Amino acid sequence: MKKLLGLLTIVMILVSCQTEKNGYKNIVTTDINNFWEAYDKITSTQDSTLQYQYLDSLYFKKGTEGLKAIKQVRNYTAQDYLRSINNYPKFWTSIRENTLKANQFGSELQDGIEKFRNIYPDLKPAKIYFTIGAFRTNGTTLDSLVLIGSELAMADKHTISTEFPKEEREDRRTFFDSSPIDNLVLLNIHEYVHTQQKPMVHNLLSLAIYEGVAEFVSVKAMGVPSAAPAIEFGKKNADSVREKFEQEMFYTNNRFKWLWSSGTSNEFGVRDLIYYIGYQMAENFYEQAENKKEAIKKLIELDFNNETEIEEFVHSTSFFSASLDELYQNFENERPTVIGIKQFENKNENVNPKINQITVEFSEPLNGTSTGIEFGPLGKDYFPKNTVVGRYWSEDNKSYTIPVHLEPNKQYQILLHNNFRTTDWIPLKPYLIEFKTENE
């Protein structure tokens, strides 16, 4: 068996050399072989110190810029890798052969890049790195680097999922059964589009456009349908998905329902529906444009930090049922509010310093778990002494009590922010408690 594995490694190295000779120098796969060399050593011992040394010397220190980048972007640590290797031996056995095929995609990937260049002549160079991570991404980017997590991106229906925790298993199985390796080139072009885009802004609408544009442009370049289940589902359920997004796009804590999470995270049972939102906007924009090449250029070069530009783009797509201003006002009208403080009126200048708790009352019941209390604009020195342990909700979740220790003749601020939310994830309107204690 060892001789066979050694021969296989030699064959793959020779293929890698041949790939470079064929001119695919912007497609780098050396991290794959390095990983498996480290893997074989790591799994030959139970000594955790030795395992770390093998991982560090054979994989990390030999790693490409791509490996360094994917570790940075996905916050991978040595512990993450060792935990993944030790916990899922059947998975790794089942995925190994597929990952060693990475070199075989050089010609297809180069063709894909040229197809992309045909619809976007201003294409800037980027480098594609096939790496192996620890289950946090099948593909991402950093600046001009496309970073492929081959342990996910090269899975297929034969990849074993039975070792994963129960809460992950179904989602892994669904993903593996979709045979992502069959759509590897499309994934790479999607990520390649990201290397051409301006930096994204982390709100749901911008993320939808950022991801949706990359998916739409990659599909247009390759001339194939999207492999993302969210696109097909969204098109078949357009009104209900759009209406839900209109309600939730301004929420601050529910990205997991729309992006990079499992299908069980939302009421539709389909993951990454934010892809559909942006994809449909991009498609609407493209279809109504007279100059298709200019439309592609506009989509790729959207400036997410320019609010006016993004708002004008959204308006031009005619995707939403109302203007962004109207939708935002609808959102504001639905938000719960603070209606009062039990012990005194807000902004009171003569609060009794002997008060030892502050009870905030809400306009409706909140979820009874999520809270958000911070310093006010004046900072830490104006925040009352208190203990987190003693805070509590009322039985009906319509009030929240904070124990405090106040000093006489002192100004205080407490900011309640929008991490307070209802059971439907609607965030509280931020509320600043301000008061001053009287002299004793």
Side-chain angles (χ1 to χ4, degrees), residues 188-245:
N188 273 271
I189 301 306
H190 173 107
E191 299 301 337
Y192 209 105
V193 176
H194 283 324
T195 69
Q196 311 298 304
Q197 290 175 292
K198 291 181 169 64
M200 64 177 168
V201 174
H202 288 274
N203 60 59
L204 278 181
L205 179 58
S206 292
L207 285 167
I209 298 169
Y210 182 80
E211 290 294 347
V213 163
E215 188 66 12
F216 177 77
V217 171
S218 61
V219 162
K220 274 295 172 188
M222 297 301 298
V224 297
S226 171
I231 307 301
E232 181 180 1
F233 180 89
K235 285 185 172 293
K236 289 180 179 178
N237 301 273
D239 289 343
S240 57
V241 175
R242 189 202 69 243
E243 287 169 9
K244 193 64 178 174
F245 189 79

